[in-house]
């Protein structure tokens, strides 16, 4: 822990990097002393339209002059507008707005149990998650993902959660057939766990089995959703795998705190006044930004740009990987949720990349993650690749010196 962290009044739960950014524009970030960086973290897949997007600024400023906050005791037209957009583009019929991904997950988990309770099956209360997943830091989200490192030291594991492995399809089917199972929760593309796409066939098998057994399927598209993979939601690349519930956040507000839990009418029918709520969820400011962001992200021009950007980025990364087999294992993930599996420590790589004024994320399985804005330009991608390559050169030098 450095002195800065030790003396900070902040809870020391983050190992924060040094640069202090004062402003951003598109995919670039600037420090107070004028150094410019390229942002391939994007607030961890949140700033999907980059920094300081004019349409989002206009939406926020316009709303800020009118009405900041009400209560969900009153109608908030922006909620109805954004919910209608989400419903028209997905499997869902009902939407609950939250302030974060964890809260969207929390809502989905509650709804899953409440649905079975309402159907006269209260014994169906176990939710199965997958190893390598991440659903947030609330107690329920943490227990649903079941990462032992995240759960350690926080008391008893919550009852009603079980863990499965994506490699064990028999175990998955056995869990689904268990009459105590309420739901399966899965990220169609794991983010924090290492940028891993769940094979479509496995999702299809899970969908068929859950439907047959009366078990609900929850997707966590907090990271993979809102255009990140080049479609509005990652699962929409494939047919017939729609979930019953889905958690969304991050790019939904493009940097303004906003999440949502989407549900089918059948599942949502168990939620009546008093069963759930939020003070801030879906407040007018969040809705102004969320509606503006949705319209831009859901535009075919943006989604096609994200697909093109992915191609250029992955082609460049593949040739870097090919030239650096001593550093890079594989390039994986889906769309612009890109994971590069390293053979050198990822934390060291991230620090080196910062030296080259490139922001990259980390992730499970010793990956670095690139999560650029969906509207990143060709020129910015060239810059990313050049800085990534320069970081590789440094890493190679320092590791061969240490040998
Ligand atoms: N689910 C996934 C897939 C995530 O990536 C995250 C955040 N990284 C969360 C849930 C939790 O979201 P939040 O931090 O907004 O609570």
């Amino acid at each position: 822990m450095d002195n800065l962290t030790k003396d900070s009044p902040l809870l020391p739960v983050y190992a924060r990097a040094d640069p202090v950014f004062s402003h951003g524009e598109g995919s670039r970030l600037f420090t107070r002393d004028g150094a410019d960086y390229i942002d391939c973290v994007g607030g961890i897949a949140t700033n999907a339209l980059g920094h300081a997007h004019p349409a989002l600024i206009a939406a926020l400023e316009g709303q800020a002059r009118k009405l900041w906050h009400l209560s969900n005791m009153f109608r908030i037209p922006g909620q109805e507008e954004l919910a209608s957009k989400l419903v028209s583009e997905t499997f869902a019929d009902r939407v609950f707005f939250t302030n974060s991904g964890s809260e969207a997950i929390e809502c989905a988990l509650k709804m899953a149990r409440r649905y079975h309770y309402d159907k006269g099956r209260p014994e169906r209360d176990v939710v199965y998650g997958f190893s390598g997943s991440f659903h947030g830091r609330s107690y329920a989200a943490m227990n649903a993902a079941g990462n032992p490192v995240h759960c350690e030291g926080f008391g008893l594991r919550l009852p009603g959660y079980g863990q499965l492995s994506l490699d064990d399809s028999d175990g998955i089917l056995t869990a689904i057939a268990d009459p105590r199972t309420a739901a399966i929760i899965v990220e169609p593309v794991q983010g924090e766990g290492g940028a891993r796409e769940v094979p479509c066939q496995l999702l299809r098998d899970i969908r068929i089995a859950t439907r047959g057994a009366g078990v609900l399927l929850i997707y966590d598209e907090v990271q993979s959703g809102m255009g990140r993979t080049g479609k509005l939601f990652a699962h929409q690349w494939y047919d017939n795998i729609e979930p019953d519930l889905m958690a969304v956040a991050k790019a939904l507000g493009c940097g303004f705190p906003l999440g949502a839990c989407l549900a089918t009418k059948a599942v949502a029918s168990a939620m009546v006044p008093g069963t759930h709520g939020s003070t801030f969820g879906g407040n007018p400011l969040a809705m102004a930004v969320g509606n503006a962001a949705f319209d831009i992200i859901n535009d075919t021009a943006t989604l096609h740009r994200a697909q093109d950007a992915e191609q250029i980025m992955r082609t460049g990364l593949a040739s870097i990987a090919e030239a650096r087999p001593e550093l890079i294992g594989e390039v994986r993930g889906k769309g612009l949720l890109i994971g590069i599996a390293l053979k050198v420590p990822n934390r060291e790589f991230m620090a080196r990349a910062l030296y080259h004024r490139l922001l990259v994320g980390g992730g499970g399985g010793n990956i670095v993650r690139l999560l650029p804005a969906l509207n990143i330009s060709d020129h910015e991608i060239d810059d990313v690749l050049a800085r990534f390559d320069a970081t590789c050169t440094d890493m190679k030098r320092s590791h061969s010196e240490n040998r």
Side-chain angles (χ1 to χ4, degrees):
M1 199 186 289
D2 59 23
N3 281 336
L4 192 78
T5 314
K6 211 163 49 191
D7 298 337
S8 168
L10 300 175
L11 198 70
V13 291
Y14 282 99
R16 293 174 201 266
D18 272 340
V20 179
F21 298 109
S22 58
H23 61 288
E25 200 183 317
S27 288
R28 293 189 190 268
L29 280 168
F30 302 88
T31 59
R32 270 179 299 208
D33 50 14
D36 73 310
Y37 289 68
I38 299 216
D39 187 1
C40 270
V41 174
I44 315 187
T46 297
N47 299 91
L49 299 175
H51 299 277
H53 191 288
L56 303 188
I57 294 174
L60 185 59
E61 282 185 349
Q63 186 61 44
R65 290 201 184 85
K66 291 192 224 157
L67 184 62
W68 286 24
H69 185 71
L70 269 173
S71 154
N72 282 307
M73 291 162 62
F74 303 100
R75 281 181 65 181
I76 297 173
Q79 286 191 12
E80 289 159 34
E81 191 186 336
L82 184 53
S84 301
K85 291 173 187 170
L86 285 163
V87 162
S88 77
E89 296 295 335
T90 65
F91 70 95
D93 308 300
R94 300 285 181 264
V95 179
F96 180 81
F97 290 109
T98 68
N99 310 288
S100 67
S102 302
E103 289 168 83
I105 292 287
E106 196 80 24
C107 179
L109 295 170
K110 281 180 69 177
M111 279 173 84
R113 284 189 177 160
R114 181 81 190 191
Y115 166 78
H116 292 295
Y117 169 86
D118 196 57
K119 289 269 172 282
R121 300 187 296 256
E123 71 285 359
R124 275 203 186 269
D125 61 1
V126 180
V127 178
Y128 283 93
F130 289 93
S131 51
S133 59
F134 183 84
H135 301 303
R137 299 293 194 151
S138 71
Y139 262 110
M142 188 172 89
N143 276 274
N147 182 333
V149 176
H150 293 167
C151 294
E152 187 188 335
F154 294 108
L156 295 176
R157 293 287 294 272
L158 293 184
Y161 291 95
Q163 241 55 57
L164 298 167
S165 161
L166 287 167
D167 301 323
D168 176 14
S169 47
D170 287 347
I172 297 171
L173 295 179
T174 306
I176 293 171
D178 189 317
R180 288 162 307 175
T181 303
I184 303 289
I185 181 166
V186 60
E187 291 165 85
V189 185
Q190 288 190 343
E192 304 301 309
R196 273 176 215 283
E197 183 182 12
V198 177
C200 155
Q201 191 53 50
L202 181 59
L203 287 179
R204 200 162 276 149
D205 291 347
I206 292 175
R207 180 65 285 192
I208 291 168
T210 48
R211 208 164 258 147
V215 168
L216 299 179
L217 178 59
I218 306 171
Y219 284 161
D220 179 345
E221 288 236 30
V222 167
Q223 185 157 157
S224 59
M226 293 307 296
R228 175 63 32 203
T229 67
K231 290 234 187 234
L232 192 59
F233 293 103
H235 75 270
Q236 293 176 331
W237 281 101
Y238 308 108
D239 292 331
N240 303 322
I241 58 164
E242 287 86 6
D244 303 291
L245 287 151
M246 179 165 75
V248 185
K250 291 190 184 275
L252 188 63
C254 276
F256 199 93
L258 173 59
C261 178
L262 279 61
T264 61
K265 201 190 283 180
V267 176
S269 65
M271 302 300 279
V272 294
T275 50
H276 198 54
S278 168
T279 296
F280 291 120
N283 96 350
L285 291 171
M287 289 303 103
V289 180
N291 273 296
F294 188 95
D295 293 345
I296 301 169
I297 291 177
N298 192 39
D299 192 299
T300 42
T302 308
L303 294 172
H304 285 160
R305 173 61 206 160
Q307 293 174 19
D308 289 347
E310 176 202 351
Q311 286 313 318
I312 305 170
M313 195 85 117
R314 285 190 186 269
T315 305
L317 288 170
S319 61
I320 295 175
E322 201 184 344
R324 315 269 192 185
E326 67 287 6
L327 296 178
I328 298 175
E330 63 166 332
V331 181
R332 61 177 186 239
K334 191 167 181 66
L336 289 173
L337 200 172
I338 303 173
I340 299 132
L342 296 178
K343 297 178 182 171
V344 288
N346 62 349
R347 298 281 144 192
E348 199 181 318
F349 192 99
M350 288 160 71
R352 268 281 131 194
L354 263 189
Y355 177 80
H356 289 282
R357 290 181 286 112
L358 170 66
L359 273 63
V360 298
N366 198 40
I367 62 158
V368 288
R369 233 175 333 155
L370 302 187
L371 303 159
L374 309 182
N375 56 3
I376 188 169
S377 68
D378 286 3
H379 177 66
E380 286 162 340
I381 296 175
D382 287 347
D383 243 354
V384 169
L385 294 169
R387 292 178 195 205
F388 193 91
D389 199 40
T391 308
C392 288
T393 304
D394 279 8
M395 291 298 288
K396 184 173 176 186
R397 191 179 307 126
S398 77
H399 277 260
S400 42
E401 274 165 13
N402 292 343
R403 231 166 245 150

